[in-house]
Amino acid sequence: MGLDASEADTAAVLLRTEGRAGYITLNRPRALNALTHPMVRAIGAALDRWERDPGVETVVISGAGERGLCAGGDIRAIHADALAGGRASLDFWRDEYRLNARIARYPKPYVALMDGIVMGGGVGVSAHGGVRIVTERSSVAMPETGIGFVPDVGGTHLLARAPGELGTHLALTGLAVGAADALLCGLADHFVPAGRLPGLAASLALLEIPEVLRRYTDRAPEGELAAHRGWIDECYAAGTVERIVDRLLGHGDPAAKEAAGTILTRSPTSLKVTLAALRRARALGELEPVLDQEYRVSSAAFSSPDLVEGVRAQVVDKDRRPRWSPAELSQVSDADVERFFAGLGDRELGLAPPR
């Protein structure tokens, strides 16, 4: 029997309670559990309901299948919406960013099982939680510059708070990190071997979180970023993307040159806007004003040519040969960047209290 639209939307997010825990399972495994607008609404409604339920003391989010928690928003749908000149994506982001803020301020423990691929919107529904668990299979990234977009879902807030310039490195390159590096960058809190996750999830229905963590956590395998802090902090402290690339290319470490090569394949406009967004996020401090800023940036990016072209090249046609416009960093002016931060009037997200 087929599912009607409402049933299909419900099936994409599985909800259940057991003992003292409420469980959210993102259930689109063939799409790497990519988020849709109805899924965001379903998660938000569950959080509202469980906040009022004294029987639910802990919320747990995970992804169906073996490949990951969530690969992000449904960018094929966003691509189609942009091509059609629609506004559905802006409405989706409005509710998604509100959900990100809700998770960060949730009054009950929110446990995210960040197993496998956790990217973009997947970071948004996990890395703002109070207890964030990674495994040896975790691959955590904000890869937006590769599709002509800019880190969102509170990603600029998280990356701006990473030690030194690690967040700048991850934001500009879009590179994925494993468990130890996610812990180092402040994107996760605990390492649990993947084979122990079922036991951990089941135990959360019975035991308090400190006891569960004591039983199941372990030491993460060694990461990569700590050994590269020297050149990362030195090179990415430069004031512009061009200077960052120059420092990377001029550095003696081959990994620095490799990072420069990666950056130069990304959207020049996205790179410059991302750097500006990160630096401004540091100054803003709190998550809510950063999400307000990200909504302005995302709204501008939605109508820019690079988002449509980036998704075409990476996801639709998969030729991996985006034709960015402009094609060079030097062609992106300060005024071009500033347009992404322009106020939206009555369309502002409005999460931060007025000053």
Side-chain angles (χ1 to χ4, degrees):
M1 180 182 292
L3 298 174
D4 65 24
S6 61
E7 288 172 327
D9 294 342
T10 301
V13 178
L14 304 179
L15 304 170
R16 66 182 178 90
T17 58
E18 182 177 337
R20 64 200 306 279
Y23 294 88
I24 301 169
T25 304
L26 306 182
N27 189 39
R28 297 183 69 208
R30 287 190 294 178
L32 279 170
N33 300 317
L35 289 173
T36 63
H37 200 165
M39 291 170 71
V40 165
R41 291 197 190 105
I43 296 168
L47 293 181
D48 289 344
R49 186 165 63 253
W50 289 341
E51 181 178 353
R52 298 188 298 269
D53 185 344
V56 175
E57 299 179 41
T58 302
V59 173
V60 186
I61 189 166
S62 63
E66 297 295 318
R67 297 168 66 196
L69 170 65
C70 175
D74 190 338
I75 56 176
R76 284 181 177 271
I78 293 169
H79 179 260
D81 187 33
L83 281 176
R87 286 190 52 86
S89 298
L90 303 179
D91 295 336
F92 165 61
W93 288 327
R94 179 178 292 277
D95 285 345
E96 184 183 25
Y97 298 176
R98 289 184 176 278
L99 176 63
N100 303 146
R102 180 93 168 90
I103 290 168
R105 306 299 184 204
Y106 201 62
K108 298 182 178 182
Y110 182 98
V111 181
L113 306 184
M114 301 170 68
D115 187 33
I117 292 173
V118 185
M119 296 185 178
V123 173
V125 296
S126 59
H128 297 297
V131 182
R132 306 163 301 173
I133 294 169
V134 284
T135 76
E136 72 278 7
R137 303 189 301 198
S138 294
S139 180
V140 184
M142 295 298 295
E144 286 78 9
T145 57
I147 59 165
F149 199 51
V150 178
D152 65 337
V153 298
T156 59
H157 171 77
L158 294 165
L159 294 175
R161 293 158 64 94
E165 295 293 336
L166 290 175
T168 312
H169 173 58
L170 297 186
L172 296 185
T173 61
L175 294 177
V177 296
D181 290 332
L183 293 166
L184 173 64
C185 292
L187 301 173
D189 305 301
H190 307 282
F191 173 80
V192 174
R196 298 184 192 172
L197 282 186
L200 178 145
S203 294
L204 288 168
L206 305 169
L207 303 171
E208 294 189 357
I209 288 174
E211 175 62 18
V212 174
L213 294 175
R214 188 187 67 78
R215 294 186 182 192
Y216 289 95
T217 56
D218 207 335
R219 184 183 181 88
E222 189 172 351
E224 299 178 11
L225 289 181
H228 296 304
R229 278 291 302 278
W231 64 261
I232 287 174
D233 289 351
E234 176 187 342
C235 295
Y236 286 97
T240 66
V241 179
E242 290 96 330
R243 289 175 187 158
I244 288 171
V245 171
D246 286 344
R247 288 188 184 185
L248 291 169
L249 290 172
H251 199 280
D253 194 312
K257 291 182 172 60
E258 183 179 348
T262 298
I263 289 171
L264 290 172
T265 68
R266 307 317 196 200
S267 157
T269 301
S270 294
L271 290 169
K272 288 201 169 184
V273 175
T274 294
L275 183 62
L278 279 174
R279 301 281 163 85
R280 296 180 190 209
R282 285 179 182 170
L284 289 170
E286 295 297 318
L287 173 61
E288 285 81 2
V290 175
L291 284 166
D292 286 346
Q293 173 178 275
E294 288 181 350
Y295 189 71
R296 297 180 199 112
V297 170
S298 297
S299 298
F302 182 67
S303 59
S304 71
D306 277 4
L307 176 60
V308 169
E309 174 60 13
V311 177
R312 179 207 65 77
Q314 302 296 343
V315 179
V316 179
D317 296 340
K318 298 183 180 179
D319 60 23
R320 308 289 191 264
R321 297 175 64 184
R323 296 180 290 274
W324 304 123
S325 178
E328 303 291 338
L329 286 167
S330 61
Q331 298 171 321
V332 182
S333 70
D334 291 344
D336 293 333
V337 173
E338 199 58 38
R339 278 195 286 272
F340 282 75
F341 298 90
L344 299 175
D346 59 4
R347 293 185 293 110
E348 289 280 359
L349 184 61
L351 282 174
R355 293 184 175 182

